[in-house]
Amino acid sequence: MSNDAIAVWNECLIFIKDNIQPQAFKTWFEPIKPVKLTENALSIQVPSKFFYEWLEEHYVKLLKAALTKQLGEQAKLIYIIKMENTYGNKEPFTEKIPSANRSSAMMPQEVDAPIKSKNPELKNPFIIPGIRNVKIESQLNPNYSFENFLEGDANRLARSAGLAVSNKPGGTSFNPLLVFGGVGLGKTHLAHAIGIEIKDKYPDKIVLYISAEKFTQQYIDSVKKNTRTDFIHFYQQIDVLIIDDVQFLSGKSGTQDVFFHIFNHLHQNGKQVILTSDKAPVDMQDIEQRLLSRFKWGLSAELQSPDYETRVSILKNKLYKDGVEMEEEIIEYVAKHIKSNIR
């Protein structure tokens, strides 16, 4: 780490801190590390491609102003992103991306070709045989919206990523978006909220929420009925596929294989995949490496246990929506003693 880079970046931070909200500064600028200063080009290390995307979309003008103040009009900014190497046990590699040059980072990665169907009539596993022209229901719960998914330090990254995906499904580098965390921390709520937001903004897109358990059962049924190819091609029509509790695929090689082909097709065609899990990809057991590597293509965002202030806000919001009044002391007592499960 260059001392010159540290000095320049510290001066930039002083300028930036004076021009944004304290929480935004803490979330998006404190994690950045200055790496190298070469003439008028400052290289900074950011935690993920999501950070890079977010900074470029929301703070590029502020960054430019701060750098110009320190290095002059010819100032340049280079992002260094540490990428986990999913092939073997090699050290993580880095990717360097200059500011305001995002096209290469946004290109979809090359994937295996999907299976082609010989049957032009695709069967919908969500409808009863014999009933025609039934629309694919999204299976989304309207109560799980962003409006009542309260933001806090524990969920800010995941929530911000969800909003970014909602604005441009399939068009960001965090595809798939994998949200992971313990029981009762809001994974399912956030997944539904993303789907609802996308449907509001893009009514013509086909959004489908399904649990991994139900997906597995549908696949088993398709094998029994010899309609596996139809099953695959039904899911390949989806624009935004949300699969909850993807860790349920553990040990189910047949379901993993079919999901692999579906995932490849969706990703290659610019469709959005959203997954939830109770653990990070690196901790998942009995899931094929080729599938795990694809989970890591996008962004894995953790939901942590909410802090005291967020728990109080969640309780008050819940009470308000249910029309219940409760003394402040009781709310504070509950928030203080129940920490791990938002439910």
Side-chain angles (χ1 to χ4, degrees):
M1 190 181 292
S2 165
N3 289 332
D4 291 339
I6 295 172
V8 169
W9 181 242
N10 284 341
E11 290 298 320
C12 288
L13 288 179
I14 293 171
F15 176 82
I16 291 168
K17 195 171 186 178
D18 288 339
N19 287 277
I20 61 172
Q21 294 295 323
Q23 191 57 59
F25 179 82
K26 180 180 178 182
T27 302
W28 302 111
F29 290 94
E30 284 189 0
I32 297 173
K33 296 179 181 178
V35 177
K36 183 172 64 175
L37 179 65
T38 307
E39 295 181 355
N40 60 346
L42 176 66
S43 297
I44 58 173
Q45 182 180 309
V46 294
S48 66
K49 273 197 174 183
F50 171 66
F51 251 76
Y52 155 67
E53 291 276 348
W54 191 268
L55 290 171
E56 282 288 280
E57 188 167 340
H58 295 87
Y59 297 114
V60 68
K61 290 182 180 178
L62 182 60
L63 283 164
K64 183 178 180 181
L67 275 177
T68 300
K69 187 177 179 183
Q70 297 302 316
L71 301 176
E73 290 295 330
Q74 300 302 313
K76 296 178 182 178
L77 181 64
I78 298 172
Y79 297 94
I80 297 177
I81 307 169
K82 274 200 172 183
M83 307 288 288
E84 183 178 353
N85 194 333
T86 58
Y87 302 98
N89 295 318
K90 296 179 181 178
E91 291 294 315
F93 61 91
T94 59
E95 181 177 351
K96 295 183 180 180
I97 306 174
S99 177
N101 181 17
R102 298 168 58 181
S103 58
S104 60
M106 300 287 284
M107 291 295 289
Q109 301 185 48
E110 188 175 331
V111 294
D112 298 337
I115 297 173
K116 293 186 178 179
S117 174
K118 296 179 181 178
N119 184 357
E121 216 173 281
L122 304 180
K123 296 178 182 177
N124 182 341
F126 279 89
I127 64 174
I128 301 169
I131 300 177
R132 294 190 172 188
N133 300 323
V134 177
K135 288 186 178 181
I136 299 173
E137 294 293 336
S138 65
Q139 313 295 317
L140 295 169
N141 186 336
N143 295 318
Y144 290 164
S145 65
F146 274 114
E147 186 179 310
N148 52 28
F149 188 86
L150 300 185
E151 183 176 335
D153 288 343
N155 64 24
R156 183 166 286 108
L157 176 61
R159 191 179 190 278
S160 298
L163 285 169
V165 166
S166 302
N167 290 327
K168 195 186 292 185
T172 68
S173 61
F174 20 103
N175 188 15
L177 172 62
L178 190 150
V179 179
F180 69 95
V183 176
L185 296 182
K187 301 184 298 295
T188 298
H189 186 152
L190 181 57
H192 279 270
I194 297 169
I196 290 168
E197 192 76 8
I198 291 172
K199 284 298 290 182
D200 285 345
K201 293 179 178 177
Y202 304 94
D204 294 334
K205 285 192 179 295
I206 301 173
V207 178
L208 179 63
Y209 165 89
I210 186 171
S211 68
E213 183 177 6
K214 188 170 184 179
F215 179 87
T216 300
Q217 189 56 54
Q218 288 178 354
Y219 169 67
I220 292 170
D221 291 342
S222 75
V223 172
K224 289 178 180 177
K225 297 173 184 176
N226 198 28
T227 57
R228 181 180 184 274
T229 302
D230 291 332
F231 174 84
I232 291 173
H233 279 267
F234 165 75
Y235 276 97
Q236 287 176 344
Q237 296 178 94
I238 307 301
D239 295 312
V240 180
L241 178 60
I242 305 169
I243 296 192
D244 204 1
D245 290 325
V246 74
Q247 77 278 354
F248 186 82
L249 300 182
S250 175
K252 300 173 177 66
S253 58
T255 310
Q256 289 181 39
D257 180 67
V258 78
F259 181 59
F260 174 79
H261 290 292
I262 291 167
F263 181 100
N264 278 352
H265 180 85
L266 295 179
H267 195 279
Q268 189 177 36
N269 287 277
K271 311 298 185 181
Q272 181 69 47
V273 179
I274 299 162
L275 309 169
T276 75
S277 171
D278 62 0
K279 52 179 70 71
V282 69
D283 297 321
M284 292 183 188
Q285 302 293 323
D286 297 323
I287 290 185
E288 294 179 14
Q289 187 60 40
R290 61 176 183 167
L291 205 51
L292 286 177
S293 70
R294 279 154 177 76
F295 290 173
K296 298 172 186 175
W297 277 357
L299 174 72
S300 295
E302 183 178 9
L303 289 179
Q304 299 174 334
S305 297
D307 56 26
Y308 172 75
E309 290 78 9
T310 306
R311 295 197 299 273
V312 169
S313 297
I314 291 170
L315 280 169
K316 288 183 176 179
N317 183 66
K318 177 68 174 172
L319 292 169
Y320 173 77
K321 287 187 175 297
D322 291 347
V324 178
E325 293 186 3
M326 187 177 290
E327 293 182 11
E328 191 74 21
E329 290 180 0
I330 299 175
I331 294 173
E332 291 175 358
Y333 178 85
V334 173
K336 185 177 180 180
H337 289 84
I338 300 177
K339 302 177 181 179
S340 60
N341 193 322
I342 296 173
R343 294 174 190 165

